[in-house]
Amino acid sequence: MVSFPWRYRLFAATLLSCAVTDSCAARLWARTVPAEKPASGHHGGERQPDRVGSVTNMAALPEEIAVHGGMKTADGVTNTTPGGGLMPRETAPRSQSGVTRDYIAKQTPSTSIVNLMASLPGVVSAKVDPLGMAAGDMMTMRGLTQSQVGFLFEGAPEADPISYGISTATLVDSENLGSLTVSQGSPDIDAPLINAAGGQIAAFEIDPSHKAGGFIEGMGGTHSGNKEFLRLNTGDIGHSGIRGFASFSHTSTNNWRGPGRQERYHVDSKWVKEWGDGNSVKAVFAFTQQFNNGTLAPTLDQWKQYGYNYNLSGQYTPGDVTYYGLSRQNNNMINVILPAHFRLSHELELTTTPYFIKQWGPSDGGENIPVSGGYFGNVPYGTGTSSYEALDLPYQTNNMLSTVLRDPWEQRMGAVNTALKWTHGNNSLTFGWWYSYTSHEERYQFLLLDYAGRKVGGYGYDPIRFANGDILSGDNLNFWQQQNALYLADTLKLLHGKLELSAGFKAVMLQREGTNNVPGASAWKSGGNYFEPLPQFYATYHIDPHNQVYINGTTAFRAPVSTEAYVPDYDPNAGQISAVGNLKPEYTISEEIGYRHFGFWNFSIAAFNLNMTNHNISSSGYIPGSTLVVALPINAGGQTSRGIQGEFGLRPWHHFSPYLSGQYLHSTMDNDFAVS
C-alpha cells in the first residue's frame, strides 16, 4: 500500500497558547559543562559533561555556558538529536543504539515499533502489512530472530512468555511512544527476560505533561487506511504531585493484497506521582482490541507464478475453506504496569515493577474435516472399532464437512521485579529478585458451515459435538509456567570515575507443565525444569567527555519455545500433527569490544562474537486442509555469529542531520539437523 498520510491538529485554547509560546517557538537553554579545547571538527558543537564523573570533580573544573537553539512542536519534534533523532548519547559498556521522540514523531502515525528500529545497526525488519497491525512483525538482530530478542515496555516483558511472539501494535500508540533503546548483544542483568539470547529492546512511553491540554491527530491513505487519535492531559493536579493522560485511537484499513480488512481500537493511560528526592510511582495502562482477516503465505514458486493474486478467496463456494471470511485473527490485550522508585536513604534505592498482562483471542481459520475416518485427538471416529461415531451432520460434500476452526485461547501473566541498590563512595551493589507466573488455556473447536458459508447454530453444530456431548477438538490445552530469578551486580568506579568495572551473576529457575486433554494424547502431560547460571562482566574507560572504549563478556539464554515442545497437537484430518522433542534451552556466550565518540559528529563501532548451543528453531506449517498454522520446534545444535557494526550521526547543522549505519555479519550453523 502506498499511503499519503494527512494530519490535522486541534487544540484547546490553553494548549494552543502553550504550543505557540513554549513549543513551536525556538527555545534556548543553558547547560553547564567543563571547559575544554574543542575537538577537531566540532565546529562549536555542543559539549556534554562526562556523566560518569563525580559531582565533586565536576564542580572543581572551570565552567562555561553553551547556549543552543531548537524547535519543539506539539508532537515532540525538537530537531536537536544527532542523526535526526536516531543517535542519542549512549554510555553503556556495550553496543547500544536508540530511537528518540524526535525521530518517532516524524514517522507515519501507524508505524510499528519494529519498523522504527529498521535503520539501527544490526537490525533488519520487514512489515507484514503497511500499517503494522497484523500479528507477526518480522525482525532479525545480528542474524537472530525476533523471538530470541527480549522486549521490555516500561520495564515489563511483553513477548509471549511461551512462544516469544509479540505484536508490537498492541502495546502503545506511536503518538505516545517516547523512546526505544536497542542493546544488540546482551540484556540487562536485572531485565525480567527468559528469551533474550540475542539482546534486548526497551521501550518507554512519554510522561504526562505538567500542563493541561490535549492533542488530536488524523491520518488517511489508500486502501481505506485511516487512523484517528485523541490524547487528553490533566496537567499537575493541584499540589498533589500527580499528573496523567489518557488517549484513544482507532485504526483500520483494507488488506494490501487479497480481500479482507484490519481494525484496531486502543486505549493508553499513564499516571505519575512524584515527591521528595527522586521518589516516584507510575501507573501504565493499555487496552487493545484488534482483528484482521488473514492472508496466505505463498512459497517462492507460488509468488513467482501468481504474485499478489495468490491469496484467500473473495467469494465462498461449497467446500472452499480458503474463503477470507473464515480466516480472522483476534488479538486482544490488557496491560497494567506499576513501576516505582524509592530513595530510602542517601545510599539506598529501591525499585519495583509489578505488572499484569492478559491476552486472548480467538483465532479462526477454515478447515474441511472428515465425516468418518477422522480423529478425535489420537482416536479414530466413525469406524467399526471406535467408541466415537461418525459426524452424521448436514451439509456434507464428498464425505467432508466444511467448518471454521476456532481457537479461543487465553493467557494471563502476573509478576513483580524488585531490586535494592546500595551506593557507597565509588561502589554500587545491586541485589534483585524477579517472580512471574503464567497460565495459558486454549481449546480448538469446529463450527459447521452451510452451503453458503454461514455458521450453523444449535447443539451439536456450534461447536461440533459427538452424541455423548464431547466437543471435537485437536487441542484441549492447559499450560502454566513459574519462574524465579535472583541477581547480584557490583559496579566500581576508579580513576576519578573514568574507569568503570562491573560484574554480575543471575540465576534463573524456570518450571513448566502442560496437558492436552484429548483422547489418546501421548504424552497428555509433560513439563520441564530449568536452572540457568548467567554471569556478566563489563569494563569501560572514558578517555575524555567525548570518547569512550569498552569491552564485555556476557551470557544469556532462551527457554524452549512453544507449547508444542511439551505436548503435541492433534487434528481430525491427520491425528497427531506435531512431535514433542527433548529440547534444551538455548545458551549464548558473547564478547564485544567497542568505541564511541560524542560531539558535533557522533560515531560508534563494535566488534562482536557470539556462540550458541541448542539453537531452537520454531518452524511452522499449515494444519492439513486448513488456513491456520502450527509450530514445529527443532533443536538445530550450535551456531556461531561474528561481525562488526557501526553508526554515524551528525548533530543538526544548517538543518542537516544525516545518519548512517551498517553491519557485517558472518553466521554459521555448526551442526546438521533434520527437517520435516
Side-chain angles (χ1 to χ4, degrees):
M1 180 184 78
V2 178
S3 177
F4 302 95
W6 54 272
R7 303 185 182 185
Y8 58 90
R9 300 181 175 90
L10 302 176
F11 303 91
T14 55
L15 180 62
L16 180 59
S17 174
C18 172
V20 171
T21 61
D22 184 44
S23 297
C24 297
R27 305 178 67 194
L28 299 179
W29 65 93
R31 187 185 301 270
T32 303
V33 299
E36 60 175 325
K37 181 179 179 180
S40 176
H42 279 210
H43 305 292
E46 180 182 1
R47 304 185 184 97
Q48 290 279 0
D50 182 357
R51 293 187 178 181
V52 300
S54 67
V55 175
T56 302
N57 291 335
M58 294 291 292
L61 294 172
E63 296 181 353
E64 65 178 20
I65 302 297
V67 181
H68 310 280
M71 295 283 292
K72 185 177 181 182
T73 62
D75 58 3
V77 174
T78 61
N79 290 327
T80 59
T81 311
L86 282 173
M87 204 168 179
R89 185 174 189 183
E90 303 288 352
T91 59
R94 63 183 179 191
S95 55
Q96 189 163 286
S97 304
V99 178
T100 68
R101 183 66 202 162
D102 197 8
Y103 176 81
I104 297 169
K106 299 170 186 173
Q107 310 309 307
T108 304
S110 59
T111 190
S112 69
I113 289 177
V114 167
N115 204 55
L116 287 169
M117 301 182 296
S119 297
L120 300 181
V123 178
V124 178
S125 70
K127 287 184 177 181
V128 178
D129 69 283
L131 293 188
M133 292 172 59
D137 295 333
M138 293 185 292
M139 181 201 74
T140 63
M141 194 158 72
R142 291 187 177 175
L144 300 182
T145 65
Q146 182 172 318
S147 67
Q148 293 169 295
V149 178
F151 195 104
L152 299 173
F153 178 61
E154 291 285 352
E158 296 294 342
D160 186 302
I162 303 170
S163 70
Y164 310 125
I166 183 171
S167 175
T168 57
T170 63
L171 294 182
V172 62
D173 277 314
S174 63
E175 292 87 347
N176 295 329
L177 183 61
S179 66
L180 293 170
T181 300
V182 178
S183 304
Q184 290 92 342
S186 61
D188 293 325
I189 197 167
D190 61 349
L193 299 168
I194 59 171
N195 69 311
Q200 168 187 301
I201 299 166
F204 291 91
E205 201 167 33
I206 61 173
D207 279 340
S209 171
H210 288 278
K211 296 183 179 180
F215 177 81
I216 188 168
E217 182 177 66
M219 182 204 76
T222 59
H223 292 262
S224 299
N226 67 91
K227 180 177 182 179
E228 301 80 44
F229 174 87
L230 171 66
R231 180 177 64 233
L232 298 175
N233 278 287
T234 66
D236 290 323
I237 302 176
H239 299 287
S240 64
I242 298 174
R243 64 187 193 275
F245 75 75
S247 70
F248 170 80
S249 71
H250 168 261
T251 312
S252 66
T253 181
N254 294 333
N255 281 350
W256 68 281
R257 65 180 179 94
R261 62 191 300 270
Q262 305 172 66
E263 191 162 20
R264 171 183 180 267
Y265 296 91
H266 183 80
V267 174
D268 280 325
S269 184
K270 185 175 184 178
W271 296 81
V272 176
K273 161 67 176 177
E274 296 174 326
W275 73 97
D277 182 18
N279 298 291
S280 67
V281 175
K282 299 180 181 181
V284 180
F285 304 94
F287 169 77
T288 301
Q289 187 177 65
Q290 178 177 309
F291 87 88
N292 64 281
N293 292 116
T295 55
L296 285 181
T299 64
L300 180 59
D301 289 339
Q302 291 167 336
W303 180 262
K304 288 180 177 178
Q305 182 176 357
Y306 301 105
Y308 287 83
N309 296 320
Y310 183 83
N311 216 319
L312 299 174
S313 304
Q315 293 183 335
Y316 182 78
T317 56
D320 180 14
V321 293
T322 64
Y323 172 54
Y324 83 95
L326 307 181
S327 179
R328 176 179 170 127
Q329 317 304 317
N330 293 273
N331 198 358
N332 307 294
M333 185 177 191
I334 295 174
N335 207 356
V336 182
I337 311 170
L338 303 172
H341 179 267
F342 305 100
R343 183 170 291 279
L344 305 180
S345 70
H346 179 66
E347 295 184 336
L348 278 179
E349 298 175 65
L350 175 68
T351 59
T352 181
T353 305
Y355 56 92
F356 172 78
I357 302 171
K358 179 181 177 181
Q359 298 173 286
W360 69 99
S363 299
D364 291 351
E367 181 173 1
N368 287 319
I369 64 173
V371 172
S372 60
Y375 293 86
F376 179 21
N378 213 24
V379 175
Y381 63 81
T383 63
T385 59
S386 174
S387 58
Y388 291 95
E389 72 282 358
L391 301 174
D392 190 15
L393 302 175
Y395 308 110
Q396 300 179 18
T397 303
N398 299 324
N399 197 45
M400 301 293 286
L401 297 170
S402 295
T403 70
V404 171
L405 192 171
R406 172 156 292 175
D407 180 13
W409 60 276
E410 182 174 301
Q411 184 168 281
R412 295 173 297 276
M413 176 171 59
V416 61
N417 186 24
T418 300
L420 183 66
K421 181 179 179 180
W422 175 54
T423 301
H424 182 73
N426 294 326
N427 193 78
S428 296
L429 183 68
T430 301
F431 174 75
W433 169 60
W434 169 44
Y435 174 79
S436 175
Y437 184 89
T438 301
S439 64
H440 177 97
E441 298 90 30
E442 61 180 304
R443 187 178 191 177
Y444 287 177
Q445 302 173 8
F446 296 88
L447 283 60
L448 182 65
L449 298 174
D450 64 18
Y451 291 132
R454 298 184 297 257
K455 291 189 286 290
V456 179
Y459 184 81
Y461 302 133
D462 184 8
I464 292 176
R465 299 173 183 262
F466 293 98
N468 65 357
D470 287 351
I471 296 174
L472 175 63
S473 178
D475 265 352
N476 187 359
L477 184 68
N478 288 276
F479 195 91
W480 63 268
Q481 75 174 28
Q482 179 175 241
Q483 60 223 34
N484 284 274
L486 298 173
Y487 49 90
L488 180 68
D490 187 76
T491 299
L492 177 63
K493 296 182 180 182
L494 302 171
L495 304 178
H496 304 290
K498 286 190 172 184
L499 176 64
E500 289 187 28
L501 302 175
S502 299
F505 183 83
K506 186 175 186 177
V508 179
M509 295 150 282
L510 176 65
Q511 182 181 11
R512 286 175 166 175
E513 190 171 280
T515 62
N516 193 351
N517 295 304
V518 294
S522 180
W524 77 275
K525 181 179 181 179
S526 184
N529 292 279
Y530 311 98
F531 174 82
E532 296 297 329
L534 303 171
Q536 294 185 357
F537 172 76
Y538 300 92
T540 183
Y541 183 74
H542 298 265
I543 301 171
D544 56 40
H546 296 287
N547 297 279
Q548 174 191 4
V549 293
Y550 60 86
I551 188 170
N552 63 63
T554 61
T555 58
F557 89 110
R558 183 179 72 155
V561 60
S562 78
T563 59
E564 286 82 4
Y566 302 92
V567 289
D569 284 329
Y570 297 86
D571 184 78
N573 280 290
Q576 184 171 326
I577 57 175
S578 68
V580 176
N582 185 22
L583 298 182
K584 298 180 180 179
E586 292 179 346
Y587 195 88
T588 62
I589 301 175
S590 304
E591 302 88 22
E592 285 184 328
I593 183 170
Y595 164 77
R596 288 192 186 97
H597 173 81
F598 179 81
F600 175 69
W601 60 274
N602 302 269
F603 177 69
S604 176
I605 189 169
F608 57 87
N609 176 70
L610 178 145
N611 295 101
M612 176 185 294
T613 57
N614 299 310
H615 184 187
N616 291 182
I617 295 176
S618 183
S619 60
S620 61
Y622 284 109
I623 294 174
S626 82
T627 56
L628 284 180
V629 297
V630 62
L632 303 170
I634 301 170
N635 189 333
Q639 177 179 333
T640 301
S641 298
R642 295 169 178 163
I644 187 169
Q645 70 176 51
E647 58 182 338
F648 171 84
L650 189 69
R651 188 174 293 282
W653 178 66
H654 297 288
H655 309 288
F656 181 59
S657 184
Y659 176 82
L660 177 68
S661 69
Q663 174 187 254
Y664 169 76
L665 174 69
H666 180 75
S667 186
T668 59
M669 304 297 292
D670 300 331
N671 301 94
D672 294 332
F673 59 94
V675 296
S676 60

